[in-house]
Amino acid sequence: MEKISVIHEPTKQKPFLIINKPNGLPSAPLAKDDFENAFCQAAKLFPQLLEVHGKKEIEHGLLHRLDTATNGLIVIAATQECYDFLIAGQENGRFIKTYSAECDIINDNAKRLGGFPPDLPECKALGFEETELVVSSYFRPFGERRKQVRPVTEKSGKAALLKLGKSKVYTTKITIKKVSETNAVAKCTIAQGFRHQVRCHLAWAGFPVCEDRLYNSNFNSKSDFAKNNAQELLKFSATEVSFEFPKGFTNTFCL
């Protein structure tokens, strides 16, 4: 099993843990007897994490999760006071997460995958081979066993609107730099997140993450290679977190 690495240990002044989660490792337990995950590894190193009571009992002070296929930074509160403060910061848009991705350029990606709204995100040219997008939508579960999500907007059909996970708009700010005719790199920032939000918004905009078996229409998920290696090859990382604690002091951690 892959191991986490510690970026910041909890201190009296900064009672939170920052870890770097490898891809292929789940962020959190699914049940009390599930120990093969990043949080349980962290709790073995810092038992005080288990004293924090979070929204989910088995997740304690975990502030956010990453997809199993995604590597990068996770924040875990080590005291109840810190957890409560950071949760309030998340709800007020003061907990910023940044992701980096290697992307394929597939203009009709959303059409090929199906289930996306008709109104595509608008692009703003910033300079030579660089584009900025601000992508906003609701979300709904989608596909076999609800493994995927799809954006929902006011222009979506009635059936899609009835399947909303939450009546809340989620926004991803994206800067795309073109590398070649078929590839690009992306920097994506969110203040509040939904499951697969960034990957899905990139796919909708025509820049799906390389080797993303869920949202890249060029990826053959039925091949043996895909089944065995998809998680290890996903070119997507959580590279920066920025949040306030204590009040008036901003903490920023980067990979």
Side-chain angles (χ1 to χ4, degrees), residues 22-56:
N23 53 7
L25 181 70
S27 293
L30 297 177
K32 289 185 177 181
D33 59 351
D34 177 10
F35 302 105
E36 304 292 319
N37 56 79
F39 175 80
C40 287
Q41 288 188 20
K44 286 183 179 180
L45 297 174
F46 305 97
Q48 66 266 40
L49 301 180
L50 298 173
E51 298 175 9
V52 180
H53 301 284
K55 292 182 177 180
K56 292 187 177 181

Side-chain angles (χ1 to χ4, degrees), residues 63-74:
L63 271 301
H64 60 109
R65 289 173 288 176
L66 299 178
D67 302 333
T68 298
T70 302
N71 71 288
L73 300 177
I74 292 179

Side-chain angles (χ1 to χ4, degrees), residues 63-96:
L63 271 301
H64 60 109
R65 289 173 288 176
L66 299 178
D67 302 333
T68 298
T70 302
N71 71 288
L73 300 177
I74 292 179
V75 183
I76 308 173
T79 68
Q80 194 66 46
E81 178 186 12
C82 180
Y83 177 79
D84 294 342
F85 185 91
L86 292 180
I87 283 293
Q90 281 188 339
E91 293 173 352
N92 292 314
R94 299 196 306 269
F95 194 102
I96 309 301

Side-chain angles (χ1 to χ4, degrees), residues 130-197:
E130 187 170 325
T131 299
E132 184 178 84
L133 306 92
V134 178
V135 186
S136 297
S137 72
Y138 305 103
F139 279 101
R140 65 183 174 102
F142 182 83
E144 182 182 358
R145 298 173 60 184
R146 301 160 66 95
K147 287 184 178 180
Q148 301 180 45
V149 298
R150 288 292 187 269
V152 178
T153 70
E154 301 301 331
K155 294 183 180 179
S156 298
K158 290 183 179 179
L161 288 166
L162 289 173
K163 295 177 182 178
L164 286 181
K166 289 183 179 180
S167 296
K168 181 177 181 179
V169 174
Y170 294 88
T171 297
T172 307
K173 296 180 180 179
I174 305 170
T175 300
I176 293 284
K177 292 184 179 180
K178 190 174 180 181
V179 175
S180 68
E181 291 301 314
T182 57
N183 294 98
V185 294
K187 180 180 179 181
C188 310
T189 301
I190 62 174
Q192 296 179 333
F194 193 86
R195 179 171 67 99
H196 297 177
Q197 173 182 331

Side-chain angles (χ1 to χ4, degrees), residues 148-250:
Q148 301 180 45
V149 298
R150 288 292 187 269
V152 178
T153 70
E154 301 301 331
K155 294 183 180 179
S156 298
K158 290 183 179 179
L161 288 166
L162 289 173
K163 295 177 182 178
L164 286 181
K166 289 183 179 180
S167 296
K168 181 177 181 179
V169 174
Y170 294 88
T171 297
T172 307
K173 296 180 180 179
I174 305 170
T175 300
I176 293 284
K177 292 184 179 180
K178 190 174 180 181
V179 175
S180 68
E181 291 301 314
T182 57
N183 294 98
V185 294
K187 180 180 179 181
C188 310
T189 301
I190 62 174
Q192 296 179 333
F194 193 86
R195 179 171 67 99
H196 297 177
Q197 173 182 331
V198 178
R199 291 163 60 188
C200 186
H201 275 169
L202 283 168
W204 187 22
F207 302 99
V209 176
C210 294
E211 309 299 342
D212 191 336
R213 62 177 175 176
L214 296 181
Y215 300 105
N216 189 323
S217 59
N218 278 354
F219 193 58
N220 181 9
S221 61
K222 295 182 180 180
S223 71
D224 291 337
F225 181 83
K227 290 179 181 178
N228 294 331
N229 297 284
Q231 290 186 345
E232 288 74 14
L233 292 176
L234 187 64
K235 307 297 185 181
F236 187 64
S237 302
T239 53
E240 183 177 317
V241 290
S242 183
F243 54 89
E244 183 183 7
F245 189 89
K247 187 175 182 179
F249 187 89
T250 299

